[in-house]
Amino acid sequence: MSATFLGMPGHTGGTFPRNAAAAVQDSQLRFNLRKATRTIRARRARVVDELPDWAELRQAGKVIKDHTLRNLDTYLLQLEEAVTAAGGHVHWAADADEANRIVADLVKATGETEVVKVKSMATQEIGLNEALLAEGITAYETDLAELIVQLGDDWPSHILVPAIHRNRSEIREIFAGRMADWGRPAPDDLTDEPHALAEAARLHLRERFLATKVAISGANFAVAETGTMVILESEGNGRMCLTLPETLITVVGIEKLLPTWRDLEVFLQLLPRSSTGERMNPYTSMWTGATEGQEFHLVLLDNGRTKVLADEVGRQALRCIRCSACLNVCPVYERVGGHAYGSVYPGPIGAILTPQLHGMGSDLDRSLPYASSLCGACYEVCPVAIDIPSVLVHLRAEGRHPPAERAGMAAAGWVLRRSGRLARMQRLGGRLRNFVPERLPGPLGGWTDTRDLPPIPKESFREWWTRTDGGRR
């Protein structure tokens, strides 16, 4: 798979505005996104409306996640103890390099050079496929959408539906042209009908499942009380990966913990409805430690997460359960797609999570908090009540700002700190209102090029209130 796109591993430049400007020129992309996101959005709305206690479930999810994050050190040690007691092995990875090294060493210890993978955003985050390839190990994606992305030398553009930017005719061309390079070729008479594409993928993957002895997975949840890993997926490929190989390696971000088994009750209702618009997930796989002779390794990944925990406002991003509901309602994402965000975490959640994990070090990371209209739709649909708009504003304040902008904000702060100063500026603005140009001069013109200045009233509300004795005359 190529590693040169936008903010993905190997990328050296680009900002969200430049990426978005290029993406909106692709009419086929916009059509694919509009059709897919609106379909998922409508399905989610129907199943959420069926639950009279949805608001209570949402609040419960928020409370459980916040409690876990406040006590993360305790629950991580409890998880390690439970997994070890069940015959598993726990490894701690401070960053992407350490996690990749641990996984590569574990695979090489088996003597194998191929692995199958269950869809995992954590392994995409650390660039595991590329790291394994550098060690002579080939990783095969088994999720249908991830398979499409891999065969097409592409990058995921959606959390739930990584190939959402592709239509079925494009997928047919990818299968016909690339499947032979990765194993079993596509049928000669392959059409773009969904059932035909799914069958081609099934035949392509079945031999891989039966022959490969090492699997790598992520996990939606990890239960500290029991050491249980939980994966939700819709195709059954996850269950094949989790049960058939002799060695299973699971890479999990440390924020994925839940304290108790009972907490799953809340999230197994929230996640399917918010992600796929289903009442119940088709395949929910759970395993605890090493089972049936299989060797199990758990890699707990930090990679910036403890740094995010230190931010009282930004830490709520770690509540995320990767449902993608915020992507499906975002007017920005619907028009530019996931690639413009340059991260495995696209959309509104990516705009707050990626810069925090990376540390706002690149131009792309600094531009992501501005990839939003602040309409608030993402907050309304989030099943764990992440106030994404507030975090976006918080991160914007933390970023770099031009000297003119800093001077303007400082001047505004000076005026607004005293009511007398504000009153004098309002009176001055009222008297000079006829001299305000439609386009501000100099560097300020960039502001009025994309928005209209509101008309300045002849008198302020404060003056009207004084003149009319509080509106009584």
Side-chain angles (χ1 to χ4, degrees), residues 198-258:
E199 180 63 17
R202 186 179 297 112
L203 294 174
H204 176 80
L205 291 171
R206 186 57 55 92
E207 295 177 7
R208 197 70 66 190
F209 286 133
L210 296 174
T212 308
K213 296 182 179 180
V214 181
I216 298 173
S217 83
N220 293 96
F221 307 106
V223 181
E225 178 183 44
T226 61
T228 303
M229 303 293 116
V230 184
I231 281 184
L232 282 70
E233 43 100 9
S234 301
E235 300 166 13
N237 63 298
R239 191 156 298 176
M240 301 283 279
C241 284
L242 298 170
T243 57
L244 290 177
E246 297 173 2
T247 301
L248 174 60
I249 304 167
T250 299
V251 182
V252 180
I254 57 175
E255 82 282 14
K256 293 295 187 73
L257 262 67
L258 298 178

Side-chain angles (χ1 to χ4, degrees), residues 79-215:
L79 176 70
E80 180 184 34
E81 182 179 350
V83 170
T84 303
H89 307 275
V90 178
H91 310 264
W92 299 79
D95 54 28
D97 289 340
E98 187 173 9
N100 289 333
R101 184 171 63 253
I102 290 170
V103 175
D105 288 345
L106 290 172
V107 177
K108 286 192 287 187
T110 68
E112 297 296 319
T113 59
E114 296 182 344
V115 300
V116 288
K117 285 184 65 194
V118 187
K119 178 183 173 185
S120 165
M121 301 202 74
T123 60
Q124 292 172 0
E125 174 190 327
I126 63 177
L128 179 61
N129 286 11
E130 293 74 29
L132 290 178
L133 191 60
E135 298 288 340
I137 302 165
T138 303
Y140 295 98
E141 299 289 351
T142 64
D143 175 85
L144 176 57
E146 290 287 352
L147 175 65
I148 295 166
V149 169
Q150 186 175 47
L151 292 177
D153 288 327
D154 202 350
W155 285 103
S157 63
H158 192 276
I159 290 175
L160 176 67
V161 195
I164 195 172
H165 56 290
R166 299 289 193 183
N167 60 36
R168 65 190 197 185
S169 63
E170 291 174 311
I171 295 169
R172 188 261 170 205
E173 293 302 316
I174 291 171
F175 280 10
R178 293 302 309 279
M179 270 189 170
D181 298 336
W182 290 75
R184 185 188 182 100
D188 293 335
D189 59 348
L190 180 65
T191 69
D192 64 359
E193 290 299 317
H195 69 85
L197 296 172
E199 180 63 17
R202 186 179 297 112
L203 294 174
H204 176 80
L205 291 171
R206 186 57 55 92
E207 295 177 7
R208 197 70 66 190
F209 286 133
L210 296 174
T212 308
K213 296 182 179 180
V214 181

Side-chain angles (χ1 to χ4, degrees), residues 23 55 59 113 144 157 181 199 263 289 297 306 328 363 383 390 411 441:
Q59 180 64 18
T113 59
L144 176 57
S157 63
D181 298 336
E199 180 63 17
D263 294 328
H297 296 269
T306 54
N328 298 326
D363 290 341
S390 292

Side-chain angles (χ1 to χ4, degrees), residues 61-83 90 92 219-230 251-261 263-264 267 298-302 305 309 318-322 384:
K62 173 183 180 295
V63 170
I64 292 169
K65 277 289 189 177
D66 282 345
H67 167 78
T68 307
L69 293 173
R70 284 195 301 270
N71 300 277
L72 193 58
D73 53 347
T74 300
Y75 288 123
L76 282 170
L77 293 175
Q78 184 181 8
L79 176 70
E80 180 184 34
E81 182 179 350
V83 170
V90 178
W92 299 79
N220 293 96
F221 307 106
V223 181
E225 178 183 44
T226 61
T228 303
M229 303 293 116
V230 184
V251 182
V252 180
I254 57 175
E255 82 282 14
K256 293 295 187 73
L257 262 67
L258 298 178
T260 70
W261 180 264
D263 294 328
L264 276 174
F267 292 94
L298 173 63
V299 181
L300 293 171
L301 176 68
D302 185 331
R305 286 159 173 79
L309 273 174
L318 296 180
R319 288 186 213 144
C320 178
I321 59 175
R322 310 292 192 265
V384 287

